[in-house]
Amino acid sequence: MRTSPNVIITGTPGVGKTVHCEQLAQETGLQHLSINQVAKDRGCYDTYDNELQSWVVDEDKLLDAVEDEVLQGGYLIDWHACDLFPKSWIDLVVVLRCSSTSVHYDRLATRDYNQTKLQENLDAEIFGILLEEAREAFDEEIVVELNSEKDDDVESNCARISSWVESWKRDRANKRD
Ligand code: DAT
């Protein structure tokens, strides 16, 4: 049984997954598992999508690559998709949102994205695609939507997630006693 939870931090590119995970790793001691990095380091890429300027991940390879670690518990899983992870691995799914399209645009404009990729990401955020995917893949009570527009949001979101992690650990410890 895990003694530390696994938390998915998901959302459209540019919503703030990396900044949240870095701060949360410090606050909670959970480990930041950047799936982009894992896929790159462990050769989980399949093909390259020229139009979207991105590598397509082989999901089976990726799950095999992280399974042993994630099953130990204590990971912040940082990726734009969440519905591939088995339900039994995951204790909380945080979907970050950027409710201002102009703020989101400004963040993505600093990246080297072509017009198709930029627009696709802005649209995905406007339509809440990743929130919908998370709600379809996991039980509704473990899916939390949090806004990430200002610095203050990062602080309050991380405080909220950290306190959830602490109470999850306390509950688990009590169950073991
Ligand atoms: P992601 O990992 O989801 O692609 P990121 O963490 O790299 O996103 O954030 C993209 C940029 O936006 C980065 O410069 C940090 C900034 N940012 C994200 N969330 C923010 C927030 N709530 N307040 C201020 N800046 C934020």
Side-chain angles (χ1 to χ4, degrees):
M1 199 157 77
R2 296 190 276 279
T3 53
S4 199
N6 288 321
V7 180
I8 291 180
I9 307 289
T10 190
T12 316
V15 290
K17 298 183 292 297
T18 310
V19 283
H20 280 77
C21 285
E22 284 173 356
Q23 178 151 343
L24 280 168
Q26 289 189 354
E27 284 182 21
T28 62
L30 300 191
Q31 281 195 63
H32 181 188
L33 189 67
S34 160
I35 297 295
N36 278 337
Q37 198 59 47
V38 168
K40 206 180 289 173
D41 294 346
R42 304 186 197 174
C44 306
Y45 286 133
D46 200 2
T47 50
Y48 189 75
D49 182 328
N50 277 315
E51 202 181 4
L52 282 181
Q53 290 180 301
S54 34
W55 285 93
V56 178
V57 166
D58 179 328
E59 294 188 353
D60 290 332
K61 256 194 213 167
L62 175 72
L63 290 176
D64 280 349
V66 298
E67 179 171 13
D68 289 349
E69 282 156 283
V70 173
L71 287 179
Q72 308 280 316
Y75 285 93
L76 297 162
I77 300 172
D78 164 2
W79 209 32
H80 60 265
C82 67
D83 54 359
L84 71 160
F85 297 104
K87 273 167 99 167
S88 61
W89 292 16
I90 305 301
D91 302 294
L92 181 70
V93 181
V94 175
V95 185
L96 296 175
R97 302 296 308 276
C98 183
S99 50
S100 161
T101 304
S102 69
V103 169
H104 193 203
Y105 175 88
D106 288 345
R107 290 180 192 166
L108 294 180
T110 67
R111 296 183 180 181
D112 199 13
Y113 288 178
N114 65 25
Q115 202 51 40
T116 310
K117 184 166 179 171
L118 184 71
Q119 195 58 52
E120 171 124 334
N121 283 317
L122 292 173
D123 288 349
E125 187 52 20
I126 290 165
F127 292 117
I129 304 288
L130 292 172
L131 179 64
E132 202 171 305
E133 277 179 16
R135 286 188 173 147
E136 272 170 23
F138 295 95
D139 295 338
E140 209 162 315
E141 57 271 23
I142 74 157
V143 178
V144 184
E145 178 188 18
L146 296 175
N147 196 34
S148 168
E149 204 181 313
K150 308 190 187 77
D151 287 333
D152 286 357
D153 298 326
V154 179
E155 294 306 317
S156 62
N157 293 340
C158 289
R160 199 168 150 187
I161 298 164
S162 298
S163 85
W164 179 91
V165 169
E166 282 317 306
S167 86
W168 188 96
K169 286 184 180 168
R170 263 196 314 275
D171 283 356
R172 268 302 153 103
N174 289 339
K175 277 185 192 142
R176 278 198 308 277
D177 290 343

